[in-house]
């Protein structure tokens, strides 16, 4: 679903197997995934001929050009300009988020409990935290290193072995757990176990607040493990942001091998389909020869915690990018309201995983809106604008599916249940762009281990690719504001 250490083959039978390899690499941890999604997407885009831009530099864009930039190495925007682009033409965008619920190390993670070295963690997002117990876990993320010349380096790191674990309490010591439910205290019961206490590698806790050195806020044993993984000295590590992640690799499963079992399918499966469809729909020069608009993907961070960050969908990233693109492409054409005209002509697909019907809990779905695995993309509706879909945007997106004979499903939440939301309403209201919310159906959302149908990955990729290739033409056939 978006990190690709092997090329994506054309035959889909092989592609599904390769997809699992990518998911395995992508699922190490929330932050590691965010950074590696951007880093690996950057590698793929460069290999495909896209030009890397910097937000700090002037942009000199041309029709037919393909470009991208990253922000915080956890947000990425890539776009391809049609050969027939004219100032005021629209953007066709697929947006998704790169983050998933996880456990993040506290700034001062070292603690000792009853002679054991524990790692203090914070909960990120709304995870099913009970699923993190009794899993073989490790750590991944980013570290800041101090070089001998006084400069600083940003490094990604993943410990490639089981390193920590959150053990459950034996039933003999908690006899009511099956009758009254498993109700762990997230502060005191969710701390992973690193090692038994070892005097020569244990932090001196005499001054818990007096020093910010990594040696006094993180276990020296942890720093030693990280330094061995990176290939540096422990004293070179001066900052870190690490997350807990499951070590079990992704795989195909089910009686007919029809399911993908993996961590963080929400929302890396959408990121993968968006990135792959953009690259494949603009691979050859002729792919953009008749395009009148701009094809774009935007992969954002921090959706799981509200999107209110510099690298989240709540930031003006897309709006700023669209303005700079229009300004760069205007050249000598100084038409009135160029950006405003482009915005009203633009369309955004907000792609985030959807709730598939759970066969053990069918009553949790509205009777006539029950998306199923292997039945295609789900268009999400909500009268209270928790999703940004309208009758017009749903029709246009379904029209693409109809032309290509692709299945589409629809979802509304029950009136007696609360409804989640996506980056769709944030971008629709913040940018002022027509938006449809959709997603790949899945089960076990926000568990440490999720599942979806492999055919739905194929269907979504084809739907997204068709969106890029033909939306500009379809959109011209419907006039709403006349």
């Amino acid at each position: 679903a978006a990190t690709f250490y092997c090329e994506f083959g054309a035959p889909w039978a092989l592609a599904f197997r390769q997809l699992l390899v990518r998911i395995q690499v992508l699922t190490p941890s929330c932050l590691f995934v965010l950074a590696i999604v951007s880093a690996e997407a950057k590698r793929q885009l460069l290999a495909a001929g896209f030009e890397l831009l910097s937000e700090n530099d002037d942009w000199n864009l041309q029709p037919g050009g393909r470009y991208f930039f990253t922000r915080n190495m956890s947000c990425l925007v890539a776009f391809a300009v049609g050969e027939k682009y004219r100032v005021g033409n629209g953007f066709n965008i697929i947006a998704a988020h790169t983050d998933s619920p996880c456990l993040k190390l506290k700034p001062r993670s070292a603690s000792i409990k009853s002679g054991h070295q524990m790692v203090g963690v914070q909960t990120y997002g709304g995870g099913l935290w009970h699923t993190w117990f009794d899993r073989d876990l490790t750590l991944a993320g980013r570290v800041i290193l101090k070089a001998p010349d006084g400069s600083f380096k940003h490094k990604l790191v993943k410990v490639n072995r089981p390193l920590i674990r959150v053990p459950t309490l034996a039933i003999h010591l908690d006899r009511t757990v099956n009758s009254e439910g498993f109700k762990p205290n997230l502060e005191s019961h969710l701390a992973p176990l690193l090692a038994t206490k070892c005097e020569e590698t244990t932090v001196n806790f005499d001054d818990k607040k007096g020093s910010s050195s990594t040696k006094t806020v993180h276990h020296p044993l942890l720093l030693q493990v990280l330094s061995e993984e990176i290939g540096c000295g422990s004293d070179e590590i001066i900052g870190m942001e690490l997350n807990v992640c499951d070590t079990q690799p992704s795989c195909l499963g089910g009686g007919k091998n029809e399911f993908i079992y993996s961590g963080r399918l929400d929302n890396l499966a959408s990121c993968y389909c968006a990135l792959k469809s953009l690259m494949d729909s603009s691979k050859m020069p002729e792919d953009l020869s008749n395009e009148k608009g701009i094809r774009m993907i935007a992969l954002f961070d921090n959706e799981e915690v509200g999107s209110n960050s510099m690298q989240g969908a709540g930031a003006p990233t897309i709006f700023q990018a669209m303005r700079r693109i229009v300004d760069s492409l205007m050249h000598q054409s100084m038409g009135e309201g160029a950006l405003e005209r482009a915005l009203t002509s633009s369309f955004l697909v907000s792609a985030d995983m959807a709730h598939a019907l759970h066969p053990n809990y069918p009553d949790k779905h509205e009777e006539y809106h029950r998306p199923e695995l292997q039945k295609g993309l789900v268009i999400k509706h909500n009268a209270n604008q928790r999703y940004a879909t309208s009758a017009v945007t749903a029709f246009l997106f379904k029209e693409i599916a109809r032309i290509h004979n692709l299945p589409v499903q629809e979802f509304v939440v029950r009136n007696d249940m609360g409804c989640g939301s996506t980056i769709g309403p944030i971008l629709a209201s913040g940018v002022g762009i027509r938006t449809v919310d959709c997603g790949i159906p899945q089960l076990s959302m926000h568990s440490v281990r999720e599942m979806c149908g492999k055919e739905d990955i194929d269907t979504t990729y084809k739907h997204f690719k068709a969106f890029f290739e033909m939306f500009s033409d379809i959109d011209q056939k419907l006039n709403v504001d006349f």
Side-chain angles (χ1 to χ4, degrees):
T3 293
F4 332 99
Y5 283 143
C6 56
E7 276 299 318
F8 192 76
W12 278 99
L14 174 61
F16 286 129
R17 186 66 63 181
Q18 294 173 329
L19 171 62
L20 295 178
V21 176
R22 297 165 199 156
I23 294 174
Q24 279 180 216
V25 178
L26 243 136
T27 55
S29 84
C30 176
L31 176 66
F32 187 73
V33 167
L34 302 182
I36 205 65
V37 165
S38 297
E40 182 58 23
K42 174 182 176 180
R43 187 189 71 82
Q44 289 284 320
L45 289 165
L46 288 172
F50 282 69
E51 178 182 339
L52 175 61
L53 303 173
S54 170
E55 291 189 277
N56 297 324
D57 297 336
D58 291 335
W59 291 0
N60 181 21
L61 310 180
Q62 301 294 332
R66 297 173 297 165
Y67 310 91
F68 74 100
F69 67 89
T70 65
R71 178 178 287 190
N72 191 47
M73 281 306 294
S74 62
C75 169
L76 180 142
V77 175
F79 56 96
V81 184
E83 291 279 5
K84 294 185 177 180
Y85 173 82
R86 296 294 180 268
V87 172
N89 289 0
F91 292 73
N92 303 327
I93 308 170
I94 300 176
H97 70 88
T98 56
D99 62 319
S100 303
C102 69
L103 303 175
K104 299 172 67 72
L105 261 65
K106 293 179 177 178
R108 305 175 68 91
S109 70
S111 69
I112 299 292
K113 289 184 178 181
S114 303
H116 296 78
Q117 295 187 58
M118 312 299 290
V119 180
V121 294
Q122 305 176 79
T123 56
Y124 175 88
L128 290 174
W129 303 122
H130 67 275
T131 65
W132 289 73
F133 284 75
D134 292 335
R135 303 288 300 187
D136 297 337
L137 305 172
T138 189
L139 293 171
R142 71 172 105 203
V143 297
I144 307 298
L145 304 178
K146 185 173 183 178
D149 62 2
S151 62
F152 304 104
K153 296 181 180 180
H154 172 272
K155 285 276 191 178
L156 300 181
V157 60
K158 175 197 171 189
V159 179
N160 291 298
R161 64 178 176 87
L163 180 66
I164 53 178
R165 190 178 177 93
V166 185
T168 51
L169 185 63
I171 193 170
H172 313 82
L173 305 177
D174 188 10
R175 293 289 186 181
T176 63
V177 65
N178 288 330
S179 58
E180 298 181 5
F182 181 48
K183 302 174 182 178
N185 181 293
L186 299 184
E187 176 61 28
S188 56
H189 299 154
L190 198 55
L193 171 62
L194 175 67
T196 53
K197 187 173 181 180
C198 182
E199 295 298 334
E200 64 270 22
T201 60
T202 299
V203 174
N204 182 351
F205 291 96
D206 292 340
D207 183 10
K208 294 184 177 180
K209 298 181 180 179
S211 173
S212 60
S213 167
T214 52
K215 290 186 177 180
T216 62
V217 298
H218 302 290
H219 288 297
L221 176 60
L222 174 59
L223 296 177
Q224 177 186 333
V225 172
L226 293 173
S227 63
E228 291 173 354
E229 197 71 40
I230 299 169
C232 69
S234 296
D235 56 347
E236 295 180 53
I237 301 175
I238 59 173
M240 66 175 69
E241 189 175 2
L242 298 177
N243 297 333
V244 180
C245 50
D246 193 15
T247 60
Q248 184 177 358
S250 305
C251 65
L252 291 176
K256 298 184 290 185
N257 271 338
E258 62 184 302
F259 305 124
I260 296 174
Y261 301 151
S262 175
R264 312 193 195 295
L265 289 172
D266 176 20
N267 190 34
L268 298 181
S270 302
C271 293
Y272 167 73
C273 292
L275 180 58
K276 183 63 177 170
S277 62
L278 175 65
M279 292 192 300
D280 285 358
S281 67
S282 57
K283 184 180 299 184
M284 306 300 292
E286 56 268 25
D287 292 334
L288 298 172
S289 60
N290 293 314
E291 176 60 69
K292 303 178 182 67
I294 297 173
R295 302 171 183 177
M296 174 184 283
I297 64 167
L299 310 180
F300 292 104
D301 193 356
N302 299 134
E303 186 274 345
E304 298 292 356
V305 292
S307 297
N308 293 319
S309 68
M310 179 189 74
Q311 58 274 4
T317 309
I318 277 191
F319 183 81
Q320 292 170 347
M322 295 172 76
R323 182 178 61 192
R324 294 192 65 178
I325 293 167
V326 170
D327 288 347
S328 178
L329 292 170
M330 283 181 68
H331 301 299
Q332 300 303 315
S333 281
M334 301 299 291
E336 181 274 332
L339 176 59
E340 289 75 14
R341 286 185 284 126
L343 288 173
T344 58
S345 300
S346 297
F347 192 96
L348 183 139
V349 176
S350 169
D352 201 352
M353 301 297 278
H355 297 292
L357 175 70
H358 196 304
N360 292 335
Y361 303 90
D363 56 317
K364 295 297 182 180
H365 276 73
E366 199 276 335
E367 184 177 3
Y368 299 105
H369 298 83
R370 294 180 169 182
E372 299 178 35
L373 300 177
Q374 314 287 39
K375 296 293 181 67
L377 263 176
V378 179
I379 296 178
K380 306 175 184 180
H381 302 261
N382 185 262
N384 297 306
Q385 294 298 297
R386 298 292 288 172
Y387 302 129
T389 306
S390 70
V392 172
T393 60
F395 165 75
L396 290 170
F397 199 58
K398 287 190 288 186
E399 182 66 7
I400 296 170
R402 183 192 67 79
I403 293 172
H404 288 266
N405 196 29
L406 297 171
V408 173
Q409 308 180 80
E410 295 185 284
F411 171 80
V412 296
V413 73
R414 290 171 55 101
N415 288 326
D416 55 0
M417 296 180 65
C419 182
S421 191
T422 68
I423 61 176
I426 296 173
L427 295 171
S429 60
V431 179
I433 185 172
R434 295 173 297 167
T435 301
V436 63
D437 266 297
C438 68
I440 302 168
Q442 72 161 102
L443 295 173
S444 303
M445 187 179 291
H446 288 194
S447 171
V448 74
R449 194 78 173 165
E450 301 174 333
M451 66 178 289
C452 71
K454 69 179 186 181
E455 296 296 335
D456 290 324
I457 302 294
D458 184 11
T459 300
T460 301
Y461 162 78
K462 291 177 178 177
H463 202 149
F464 286 179
K465 186 170 181 284
F467 165 74
F468 281 134
E469 292 173 339
M470 67 184 310
F471 181 80
S472 294
D473 293 331
I474 292 178
D475 193 32
Q476 293 180 349
K477 299 178 181 180
L478 177 65
N479 187 7
V480 176
D481 296 304
F482 57 89

